[in-house]
């Protein structure tokens, strides 16, 4: 937060005021004031015990709700960065773009390519180092060094933003540096980002607009339900250190190793041709979708359609609370059939700018689905079987009846 405050000063009173002639900047100086002031070292949860960087799907914290509703949906930013303390020494800044492969590939390549290189060069010109988030590892069996990152759940900021077609970055400043050095790294990394966007405004806007257009007009053929760690083909150099025999840290040295800051599809399913339908009594699900900017409609009259249904083969709930939830896990089979939907049934078409997010919420076995987050607990059986159905349906064709757009509560 100290680096953020210095950035505000530079943009409003210092030598970087000219950047505001080309870039609109919205700043949240401290996303978690309660956690930041907790004890001597703070904590990552807010005063209610929620980890806000795991709340970007369910939106149960007022802080995350405010960002999504009052900033992301209202202003539709092209770039979004979230700055934390974390990462690995000796680097002064560790950087990550969206890791979930559901995000638009060109959007991510822009963030990992020219944007990354520009910010890295700025820091290096001031004697500071930048690399990917998060840190190194060593495989003794293969004598291989590697650099790993974090899991790309949709509930995290850097995944959620990219899936919503925003160039989304995670900044992590390693805490082992003195506070003034940490502030310098945060300030210069953020100013470097703003400078890059100012210098490349047309290209940045075009990358984002094209990602949004492709989401509507050229939807992906497959839904990525789960991901697994991958490896970039080229080896890279990075700095590491090891502990001495007495337990103290040795000096940093450079190694050549694998860059594993890549996540690739593990389990996939074909994308439905048009969208989804769900029971007209599931108002909480409709409300959640609308809060994410997803357009939800209702059938104006009864209709019979060919659909794909989700039959539950196995289902269980965690025994330990996570974010005050007992998360559900389901194994499902997709079964074709015919359904008659009454008037008032909710429907969601994929051909909208939020189209990348929609299947990740609606497919029951996706990692951050509405089923997983307990929105369907009152509507599904507690065990699998031949008649254990999820009240969500895949539609390959548009309903042939009038529909009306629903409004938020």
């Amino acid at each position: 937060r100290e680096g953020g405050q210095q950035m505000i000063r530079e943009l409003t009173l210092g030598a970087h005021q000219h950047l505001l002639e080309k870039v609109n900047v919205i700043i949240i100086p401290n996303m978690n004031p309660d956690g930041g002031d907790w004890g001597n070292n703070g904590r990552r949860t807010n005063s209610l015990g929620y980890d806000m960087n795991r709340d970007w799907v369910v939106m149960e914290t007022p802080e995350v709700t405010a960002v999504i509703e009052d900033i992301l949906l209202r202003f539709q930013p092209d770039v979004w960065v979230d700055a934390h303390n974390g990462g690995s020494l000796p680097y002064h800044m560790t950087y990550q773009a969206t890791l979930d492969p559901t995000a638009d590939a060109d959007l991510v390549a822009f963030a990992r390519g020219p944007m990354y290189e520009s910010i890295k060069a700025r820091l290096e010109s001031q004697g500071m180092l930048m690399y990917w988030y998060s840190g190194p590892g060593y495989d003794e069996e293969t004598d291989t060094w590697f650099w790993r990152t974090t899991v790309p759940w949709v509930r995290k900021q850097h995944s959620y933003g990219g899936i919503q077609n925003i160039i989304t970055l995670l900044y992590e400043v390693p805490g082992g540096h003195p506070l003034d050095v940490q502030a310098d790294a945060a300030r210069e990394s953020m100013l470097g980002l703003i400078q890059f966007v100012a210098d490349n405004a047309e290209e940045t806007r075009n990358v984002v607009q094209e990602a949004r257009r492709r989401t509507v007009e050229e939807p992906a053929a497959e839904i990525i339900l789960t991901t697994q760690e991958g490896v970039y083909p080229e080896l890279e150099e990075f700095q590491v250190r090891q502990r001495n025999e007495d337990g103290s840290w040795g000096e940093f040295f450079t190694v050549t190793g694998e860059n594993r800051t890549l996540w690739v599809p593990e389990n996939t399913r074909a994308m439905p041709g048009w969208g989804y339908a769900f029971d007209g009594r599931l108002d909480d699900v409709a409300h959640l979708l609308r809060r994410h900017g997803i357009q939800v409609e209702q059938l104006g009259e009864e209709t019979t359609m060919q659909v794909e249904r989700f039959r539950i083969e196995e289902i269980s709930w965690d025994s330990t609370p996570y974010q005050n939830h007992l998360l559900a896990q389901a194994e499902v089979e997709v079964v074709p059939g015919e359904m008659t939907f009454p008037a008032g049934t909710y429907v969601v078409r994929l051909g909208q700018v939020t189209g990348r997010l929609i299947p990740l919420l609606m497919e029951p076995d996706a990692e951050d689905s509405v089923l997983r987050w307990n929105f369907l607990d009152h509507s599904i059986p507690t065990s699998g079987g031949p008649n254990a159905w999820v009240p969500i349906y895949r539609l390959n064709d548009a309903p042939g009846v009038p529909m009306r757009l629903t409004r938020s509560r």
Side-chain angles (χ1 to χ4, degrees), residues 303-376:
T303 186
T304 299
M305 299 182 62
Q306 294 297 315
V307 303
E308 292 176 329
R309 306 174 70 185
F310 297 105
R311 182 165 57 204
I312 300 173
E313 297 183 330
E314 293 185 17
I315 189 166
S316 62
W317 283 262
D318 289 349
S319 58
T320 303
Y322 174 86
Q323 294 281 96
N324 293 323
H325 286 259
L326 297 178
L327 297 182
Q329 299 86 32
E331 294 183 15
V332 300
E333 178 186 5
V334 177
V335 180
E338 186 177 86
M339 289 290 296
T340 296
F341 296 117
T345 298
Y346 287 113
V347 289
V348 180
R349 64 182 74 207
L350 288 169
Q352 50 183 300
V353 74
T354 52
R356 297 179 192 273
L357 178 63
I358 292 167
L360 301 182
L361 301 179
M362 303 305 287
E363 299 281 326
D365 46 347
E367 290 180 315
D368 277 302
S369 70
V370 293
L371 182 145
R372 183 157 174 75
W373 282 102
N374 308 128
F375 284 87
L376 303 182

Side-chain angles (χ1 to χ4, degrees), residues 70-148:
D70 298 334
I71 296 179
L72 301 186
L73 296 181
R74 179 182 177 187
F75 293 99
Q76 295 289 309
D78 295 321
V79 183
W80 177 25
V81 60
D82 190 10
H84 296 244
N85 278 110
S88 298
L89 297 171
Y91 297 97
H92 299 83
M93 172 61 69
T94 53
Y95 171 112
Q96 197 53 264
T98 297
L99 295 164
D100 192 312
T102 298
D104 183 83
D106 289 351
L107 188 89
V108 176
F110 187 71
R112 289 187 66 97
M115 184 172 279
Y116 170 84
E117 294 297 338
S118 177
I119 299 166
K120 181 180 179 182
R122 180 188 180 98
L123 290 181
E124 289 179 347
S125 71
Q126 300 181 42
M128 291 185 280
L129 301 174
M130 182 170 116
Y131 197 54
W132 304 110
Y133 178 74
S134 123
Y138 178 69
D139 186 332
E140 293 184 357
E141 291 187 6
T142 61
D143 188 29
T144 302
W145 283 97
F146 53 86
W147 197 274
R148 307 182 83 168

Side-chain angles (χ1 to χ4, degrees), residues 11 14 44 52 63 156 206 220 230 257 307 312 321:
L11 289 173
R44 64 179 298 135
M52 289 179 288
E63 299 92 341
K156 295 183 176 183
N206 184 65
V307 303
I312 300 173

